[in-house]
Amino acid sequence: MPVAAQVLRHATERPHQPALCGPEGSLTYAQLWERVSTRRLGDKGLIAITLTDPVEQLVTVLAADLAGATPLLCERDQFARVTAAVPVGLHVDAPLPTTPDPAPAPGEGPDDLAWACLTSGSTGRPRAVVRTRHSWTGSFPYLSELAAIGPDDVVLVPGPLVSSLYGFAAVHALAAGATVIVPGRWSPGSLTVQLRRATVAHLVPHRLPAVLAVAAEVGGPLRTAVVGGAALPARSRAMAAEAGVRVISYYGATEMSFVAVDTDGSGLRPFPRVEIEVRQGEVWTRSPWMAEGYLAGAAGPLTTDGEGWTSVGDLAEPYRPGEALRLRGRGDGAIQTGGATVVPEDVEAVLRDVRGVTDLVVVGSPHPQLGSVVTAVVEGSPSRAALETAARASLDPAQRPRRWYAMAALPRTPTGKPARALVAARLADADPAIRRLV
């Protein structure tokens, strides 16, 4: 079902309920439907949307949905690079003109290409992934049930909607009939106000501690955090438990959507209607939630086997149905050092729990004899001694970083993940923002 049709239903049943709350103002469901239904698109192809206001972004996305077009949210400074490789039919950089004509009935089919989003992984190179309507919206009811999200909720989506995670979170919450707070970017100064209302937050892991800390200060109604996009540190889940906030963490990829979910801290289990296999250390999945692929035939990590199974190269321990899926990281980021293969995420998982570490990236630095050496670039204020103690206690000799650096703030991809390749490039260029940790 088109999301626009669900917005119409909410506008009919609860016209005065707030739908969207953004930095420039709010809309009820009746007002949202009025804007969506009176803004027309003459093109049914790919619509690139570079609006900056998150409410206007979502109005345009829903107008595209209503018209049977395929919306693609992107940053303005990405537009030239995106259009150089992707066949954009229309560029929307200002609110669409309105028309008094009656809106068409939202009745497009499940196989329509209903959503496109950019994925950059840790490399920063944008690729556009396109999804059918069913692969995009069919998982909504399952997430709503797992997280108990419904019309009485206020869902905080505290990041840029160009991120596939945050874009999905906002559209899902609208489909569920909830009130959605969309600041459009991470805004720590606004959290106090936002968390006086929010019952649910849908966000990336490294933002969770700040949200939990403010929620505890204001004593707001936050009860659930839906977390995806990267591994969730154990200390964050423990912090949520102390605050009485339930955490639903999930693993997936832009190309595959949901793969596995952890609803209680016992480990990742297959998301509804998802099959999982681990083949020679790589995660393969089969489900209705898979993307159609990359637009314009772009190259990417998505691989298929002809029988409906797909992989993006993520690594995991051996897996049997009924067990928890134990991820190890992305295969394309492995470090070859002295004949050993080191998966950066294995090292990061250990060091991330060291006191004073906000986040970190592990990369390979060139070495004349070993090929590469494991190098850690840390965000936060830990001591090198504490990091080395943790490495000796929990990592094999080949995994232990030989070089240690610190940054005030790691660069990140639009999804909020540390931009591993960009950190490696800046390290190689002797960026003065990266200092040796002593």
Side-chain angles (χ1 to χ4, degrees), residues 102-130:
E108 285 71 35
D111 295 328
D112 290 346
L113 299 180
W115 184 263
C117 50
L118 295 174
T119 176
S120 60
S122 60
T123 67
R125 297 189 303 268
R127 292 182 294 269
V129 177
V130 65

mmCIF file of all heavy atoms in Angstrom, residues 102-130:
data_model
loop_
_atom_site.group_PDB
_atom_site.id
_atom_site.type_symbol
_atom_site.label_atom_id
_atom_site.label_comp_id
_atom_site.label_asym_id
_atom_site.label_seq_id
_atom_site.Cartn_x
_atom_site.Cartn_y
_atom_site.Cartn_z
ATOM 1 N N PRO A 102 -8.420 17.930 -7.581
ATOM 2 C CA PRO A 102 -8.526 16.809 -6.636
ATOM 3 C C PRO A 102 -7.336 15.859 -6.780
ATOM 4 O O PRO A 102 -6.819 15.665 -7.878
ATOM 5 C CB PRO A 102 -9.827 16.109 -7.034
ATOM 6 C CG PRO A 102 -10.530 17.041 -7.947
ATOM 7 C CD PRO A 102 -9.535 17.967 -8.535
ATOM 8 N N ALA A 103 -6.928 15.285 -5.667
ATOM 9 C CA ALA A 103 -5.809 14.343 -5.696
ATOM 10 C C ALA A 103 -6.235 13.038 -6.336
ATOM 11 O O ALA A 103 -7.358 12.580 -6.151
ATOM 12 C CB ALA A 103 -5.334 14.074 -4.267
ATOM 13 N N PRO A 104 -5.346 12.399 -7.089
ATOM 14 C CA PRO A 104 -5.659 11.076 -7.629
ATOM 15 C C PRO A 104 -5.683 10.036 -6.515
ATOM 16 O O PRO A 104 -5.078 10.230 -5.460
ATOM 17 C CB PRO A 104 -4.509 10.811 -8.601
ATOM 18 C CG PRO A 104 -3.380 11.626 -8.057
ATOM 19 C CD PRO A 104 -4.011 12.854 -7.467
ATOM 20 N N ALA A 105 -6.394 8.959 -6.759
ATOM 21 C CA ALA A 105 -6.446 7.886 -5.760
ATOM 22 C C ALA A 105 -5.091 7.212 -5.662
ATOM 23 O O ALA A 105 -4.498 6.855 -6.674
ATOM 24 C CB ALA A 105 -7.508 6.859 -6.151
ATOM 25 N N PRO A 106 -4.535 7.049 -4.444
ATOM 26 C CA PRO A 106 -3.225 6.415 -4.285
ATOM 27 C C PRO A 106 -3.333 4.907 -4.418
ATOM 28 O O PRO A 106 -3.508 4.192 -3.440
ATOM 29 C CB PRO A 106 -2.805 6.839 -2.876
ATOM 30 C CG PRO A 106 -4.093 7.045 -2.151
ATOM 31 C CD PRO A 106 -5.097 7.515 -3.172
ATOM 32 N N GLY A 107 -3.228 4.390 -5.628
ATOM 33 C CA GLY A 107 -3.440 2.957 -5.824
ATOM 34 C C GLY A 107 -2.364 2.267 -6.618
ATOM 35 O O GLY A 107 -2.638 1.352 -7.371
ATOM 36 N N GLU A 108 -1.092 2.701 -6.500
ATOM 37 C CA GLU A 108 -0.027 2.085 -7.275
ATOM 38 C C GLU A 108 0.245 0.670 -6.765
ATOM 39 O O GLU A 108 -0.129 0.289 -5.674
ATOM 40 C CB GLU A 108 1.245 2.945 -7.186
ATOM 41 C CG GLU A 108 1.196 4.214 -8.029
ATOM 42 C CD GLU A 108 0.238 5.258 -7.482
ATOM 43 O OE1 GLU A 108 0.113 5.362 -6.249
ATOM 44 O OE2 GLU A 108 -0.399 5.955 -8.292
ATOM 45 N N GLY A 109 0.971 -0.105 -7.593
ATOM 46 C CA GLY A 109 1.164 -1.523 -7.294
ATOM 47 C C GLY A 109 2.374 -1.817 -6.439
ATOM 48 O O GLY A 109 3.261 -0.979 -6.266
ATOM 49 N N PRO A 110 2.459 -3.051 -5.907
ATOM 50 C CA PRO A 110 3.544 -3.416 -4.999
ATOM 51 C C PRO A 110 4.905 -3.481 -5.672
ATOM 52 O O PRO A 110 5.936 -3.403 -4.996
ATOM 53 C CB PRO A 110 3.123 -4.790 -4.469
ATOM 54 C CG PRO A 110 2.214 -5.338 -5.521
ATOM 55 C CD PRO A 110 1.492 -4.154 -6.085
ATOM 56 N N ASP A 111 4.944 -3.656 -7.002
ATOM 57 C CA ASP A 111 6.231 -3.763 -7.682
ATOM 58 C C ASP A 111 6.732 -2.437 -8.226
ATOM 59 O O ASP A 111 7.786 -2.383 -8.872
ATOM 60 C CB ASP A 111 6.125 -4.785 -8.830
ATOM 61 C CG ASP A 111 5.853 -6.190 -8.314
ATOM 62 O OD1 ASP A 111 6.332 -6.500 -7.205
ATOM 63 O OD2 ASP A 111 5.171 -6.963 -9.001
ATOM 64 N N ASP A 112 5.982 -1.348 -8.025
ATOM 65 C CA ASP A 112 6.458 -0.036 -8.445
ATOM 66 C C ASP A 112 7.750 0.308 -7.710
ATOM 67 O O ASP A 112 7.926 -0.043 -6.537
ATOM 68 C CB ASP A 112 5.419 1.042 -8.139
ATOM 69 C CG ASP A 112 4.190 0.936 -9.026
ATOM 70 O OD1 ASP A 112 4.268 0.208 -10.028
ATOM 71 O OD2 ASP A 112 3.169 1.563 -8.711
ATOM 72 N N LEU A 113 8.638 1.033 -8.385
ATOM 73 C CA LEU A 113 9.864 1.490 -7.737
ATOM 74 C C LEU A 113 9.518 2.717 -6.902
ATOM 75 O O LEU A 113 9.363 3.820 -7.412
ATOM 76 C CB LEU A 113 10.929 1.806 -8.783
ATOM 77 C CG LEU A 113 11.345 0.608 -9.649
ATOM 78 C CD1 LEU A 113 12.394 1.027 -10.658
ATOM 79 C CD2 LEU A 113 11.844 -0.548 -8.788
ATOM 80 N N ALA A 114 9.366 2.496 -5.605
ATOM 81 C CA ALA A 114 8.764 3.510 -4.736
ATOM 82 C C ALA A 114 9.762 4.279 -3.891
ATOM 83 O O ALA A 114 9.381 5.249 -3.241
ATOM 84 C CB ALA A 114 7.742 2.840 -3.807
ATOM 85 N N TRP A 115 11.030 3.879 -3.875
ATOM 86 C CA TRP A 115 11.982 4.563 -3.002
ATOM 87 C C TRP A 115 13.387 4.331 -3.522
ATOM 88 O O TRP A 115 13.739 3.222 -3.908
ATOM 89 C CB TRP A 115 11.875 4.040 -1.580
ATOM 90 C CG TRP A 115 12.766 4.752 -0.595
ATOM 91 C CD1 TRP A 115 13.992 4.360 -0.158
ATOM 92 C CD2 TRP A 115 12.510 5.992 0.054
ATOM 93 N NE1 TRP A 115 14.509 5.264 0.734
ATOM 94 C CE2 TRP A 115 13.616 6.287 0.879
ATOM 95 C CE3 TRP A 115 11.442 6.891 0.030
ATOM 96 C CZ2 TRP A 115 13.687 7.426 1.671
ATOM 97 C CZ3 TRP A 115 11.514 8.035 0.815
ATOM 98 C CH2 TRP A 115 12.627 8.289 1.631
ATOM 99 N N ALA A 116 14.191 5.370 -3.543
ATOM 100 C CA ALA A 116 15.619 5.257 -3.829
ATOM 101 C C ALA A 116 16.376 5.964 -2.723
ATOM 102 O O ALA A 116 15.898 6.955 -2.163
ATOM 103 C CB ALA A 116 15.958 5.861 -5.189
ATOM 104 N N CYS A 117 17.540 5.467 -2.372
ATOM 105 C CA CYS A 117 18.341 6.103 -1.333
ATOM 106 C C CYS A 117 19.811 5.913 -1.656
ATOM 107 O O CYS A 117 20.186 5.011 -2.412
ATOM 108 C CB CYS A 117 18.014 5.547 0.052
ATOM 109 S SG CYS A 117 18.040 3.762 0.143
ATOM 110 N N LEU A 118 20.619 6.769 -1.096
ATOM 111 C CA LEU A 118 22.051 6.721 -1.336
ATOM 112 C C LEU A 118 22.737 5.888 -0.273
ATOM 113 O O LEU A 118 22.369 5.925 0.896
ATOM 114 C CB LEU A 118 22.629 8.139 -1.331
ATOM 115 C CG LEU A 118 22.140 9.058 -2.450
ATOM 116 C CD1 LEU A 118 22.683 10.457 -2.239
ATOM 117 C CD2 LEU A 118 22.539 8.530 -3.813
ATOM 118 N N THR A 119 23.717 5.147 -0.705
ATOM 119 C CA THR A 119 24.531 4.397 0.238
ATOM 120 C C THR A 119 25.979 4.672 -0.088
ATOM 121 O O THR A 119 26.375 4.706 -1.244
ATOM 122 C CB THR A 119 24.257 2.880 0.173
ATOM 123 O OG1 THR A 119 25.159 2.216 1.063
ATOM 124 C CG2 THR A 119 24.445 2.317 -1.223
ATOM 125 N N SER A 120 26.773 4.899 0.962
ATOM 126 C CA SER A 120 28.183 5.170 0.740
ATOM 127 C C SER A 120 29.073 4.199 1.496
ATOM 128 O O SER A 120 30.266 4.182 1.295
ATOM 129 C CB SER A 120 28.515 6.601 1.180
ATOM 130 O OG SER A 120 28.224 6.753 2.549
ATOM 131 N N GLY A 121 28.460 3.362 2.370
ATOM 132 C CA GLY A 121 29.278 2.491 3.198
ATOM 133 C C GLY A 121 30.307 3.318 3.947
ATOM 134 O O GLY A 121 30.068 4.434 4.348
ATOM 135 N N SER A 122 31.513 2.776 4.118
ATOM 136 C CA SER A 122 32.561 3.522 4.811
ATOM 137 C C SER A 122 33.470 4.237 3.830
ATOM 138 O O SER A 122 34.448 4.849 4.227
ATOM 139 C CB SER A 122 33.387 2.557 5.677
ATOM 140 O OG SER A 122 33.972 1.565 4.862
ATOM 141 N N THR A 123 33.188 4.163 2.535
ATOM 142 C CA THR A 123 34.087 4.735 1.544
ATOM 143 C C THR A 123 33.730 6.145 1.163
ATOM 144 O O THR A 123 34.535 6.864 0.584
ATOM 145 C CB THR A 123 34.052 3.894 0.256
ATOM 146 O OG1 THR A 123 32.759 4.011 -0.337
ATOM 147 C CG2 THR A 123 34.351 2.438 0.532
ATOM 148 N N GLY A 124 32.480 6.584 1.423
ATOM 149 C CA GLY A 124 32.071 7.914 1.044
ATOM 150 C C GLY A 124 31.665 8.054 -0.407
ATOM 151 O O GLY A 124 31.333 9.141 -0.854
ATOM 152 N N ARG A 125 31.685 6.974 -1.199
ATOM 153 C CA ARG A 125 31.304 7.049 -2.608
ATOM 154 C C ARG A 125 29.810 6.770 -2.720
ATOM 155 O O ARG A 125 29.355 5.677 -2.399
ATOM 156 C CB ARG A 125 32.079 6.012 -3.437
ATOM 157 C CG ARG A 125 33.573 6.221 -3.457
ATOM 158 C CD ARG A 125 34.219 5.286 -4.484
ATOM 159 N NE ARG A 125 33.899 3.893 -4.221
ATOM 160 C CZ ARG A 125 34.633 3.082 -3.475
ATOM 161 N NH1 ARG A 125 35.735 3.545 -2.894
ATOM 162 N NH2 ARG A 125 34.297 1.824 -3.292
ATOM 163 N N PRO A 126 29.008 7.727 -3.182
ATOM 164 C CA PRO A 126 27.561 7.492 -3.210
ATOM 165 C C PRO A 126 27.139 6.561 -4.322
ATOM 166 O O PRO A 126 27.627 6.628 -5.446
ATOM 167 C CB PRO A 126 26.998 8.901 -3.433
ATOM 168 C CG PRO A 126 28.069 9.635 -4.138
ATOM 169 C CD PRO A 126 29.365 9.081 -3.610
ATOM 170 N N ARG A 127 26.225 5.660 -3.997
ATOM 171 C CA ARG A 127 25.534 4.821 -4.967
ATOM 172 C C ARG A 127 24.058 4.918 -4.642
ATOM 173 O O ARG A 127 23.676 5.044 -3.481
ATOM 174 C CB ARG A 127 25.984 3.352 -4.866
ATOM 175 C CG ARG A 127 27.394 3.080 -5.289
ATOM 176 C CD ARG A 127 27.716 1.586 -5.194
ATOM 177 N NE ARG A 127 27.692 1.146 -3.806
ATOM 178 C CZ ARG A 127 28.754 1.145 -3.015
ATOM 179 N NH1 ARG A 127 29.912 1.590 -3.459
ATOM 180 N NH2 ARG A 127 28.672 0.728 -1.762
ATOM 181 N N ALA A 128 23.223 4.834 -5.650
ATOM 182 C CA ALA A 128 21.784 4.916 -5.427
ATOM 183 C C ALA A 128 21.184 3.521 -5.493
ATOM 184 O O ALA A 128 21.325 2.817 -6.495
ATOM 185 C CB ALA A 128 21.134 5.829 -6.457
ATOM 186 N N VAL A 129 20.516 3.132 -4.425
ATOM 187 C CA VAL A 129 19.828 1.844 -4.331
ATOM 188 C C VAL A 129 18.340 2.098 -4.526
ATOM 189 O O VAL A 129 17.784 3.039 -3.946
ATOM 190 C CB VAL A 129 20.073 1.199 -2.945
ATOM 191 C CG1 VAL A 129 19.300 -0.102 -2.812
ATOM 192 C CG2 VAL A 129 21.555 0.957 -2.734
ATOM 193 N N VAL A 130 17.674 1.253 -5.325
ATOM 194 C CA VAL A 130 16.248 1.458 -5.581
ATOM 195 C C VAL A 130 15.466 0.257 -5.062
ATOM 196 O O VAL A 130 15.917 -0.890 -5.136
ATOM 197 C CB VAL A 130 15.972 1.686 -7.091
ATOM 198 C CG1 VAL A 130 16.296 0.457 -7.921
ATOM 199 C CG2 VAL A 130 14.540 2.146 -7.315
#
